[in-house]
Amino acid sequence: MAKLRAGVIGVGHLGQHHARLYASSPDTTLVGVMDQDGARASAIAEKFGTQAFRGLPELLKQVEVVSIAVPTSGHYAVARACLEAQKHVLVEKPIAVSPNEAQDLVGLAGRHGCTLQVGHSERFNPIMPLMRPHIHTPMLFECHRLGTYSERGTDVDVVLDLMIHDIDLLLSCNPGPVEAVLATGETLLSPTNDVVNARIRFKDGCVAQLTASRISPKAMRQWRVFQPDGCVTIDFQSRQGVVGRRSVAADGKPRITMEEIQAGAAEPLKLQLESFLHAVRVRSRPVVSGEDGAAAVALAHRVLSAMKMPE
């Protein structure tokens, strides 16, 4: 089976790891990389034994698949150019800044027969497939995603930068149609909201409370899910989970029994790229499709709109 010819557009903090994984994969040949910082592109190209390209058209002539890891504000323009060139695309989250941009990319991928996957890497966190079977009738989600401050990602609101991870994961649990969204946010260090708290109510009565911050002293990525028969706790950083099940003790009193679960050390980004390449080869729907990415952006914008509404 011939190797797929791959390219990486944007080789900063995250894109360099796409390049590393393509270069080391038995399924791909890393044809080249590019970045708005030419010196950075050259350094990464040298490190992984490939070529640094100065122009996107030149790179696209030589590749079949691309990873896009440019700043979020550039996702749409770069992804559109790649899809119009009929290349298979893995674009880092979020798929685009606006719902209209996201839908346009989905439409382009469909018209050109291209695989479009969105880099919601938390879906590939090894703890998630172990815990997902235990989430069956959620009544309340509590989601906390806190990070220390970095200028990386501040070209967009923290909702599109960090909360989008939990929005995508939440939607992947199939909670049903959204009934109402409430949200508040604060701008402290960047031009947009750095801290946001959102409450999303679904039509079947399930509620999700999401908090995202990029100005916290300590990072945290945790979920708690409450259900009629117990609760599920997930720590995405430590890859640990706890399943609490309600039962009745011998004395007739209710109690919660706990089962601890520890996931392995597999690299989520590696699993994500392998999944993308598989979808390209067998022409299957990606685990995180363009439609999934667009749905996450649409709900993220409902959160953003809710912050603008008068109380």
Side-chain angles (χ1 to χ4, degrees), residues 165-208:
H165 281 292
D166 294 308
I167 289 174
D168 170 70
L169 277 174
L170 181 64
L171 293 177
S172 77
C173 293
N174 300 313
V178 175
E179 184 174 67
V181 179
L182 299 173
T184 59
E186 294 292 340
T187 299
L188 296 173
L189 295 177
S190 66
T192 56
N193 287 296
D194 295 310
V195 183
V196 170
N197 181 267
R199 179 181 175 87
I200 302 171
R201 186 171 72 248
F202 296 90
K203 288 186 177 179
D204 68 354
C206 177
V207 171

Side-chain angles (χ1 to χ4, degrees), residues 11-12 20 31 66 74 125 128 145 152 161 192 271 287-288:
V11 286
R20 167 177 60 84
V31 171
V66 295
N125 189 312
M128 198 59 196
R145 188 164 297 265
R152 185 174 62 88
D161 179 27
T192 56
L271 298 176
V287 171
V288 188

Side-chain angles (χ1 to χ4, degrees), residues 76 79-88 100-116 283 291:
Y76 173 68
R80 182 177 178 83
C82 294
L83 291 170
E84 287 180 334
Q86 300 184 34
K87 307 303 174 182
H88 302 291
N100 286 342
E101 290 176 345
Q103 288 297 338
D104 187 49
L105 294 179
V106 170
L108 269 175
R111 289 194 295 276
H112 291 299
C114 298
T115 298
L116 174 59
R283 310 296 290 176
E291 290 85 351

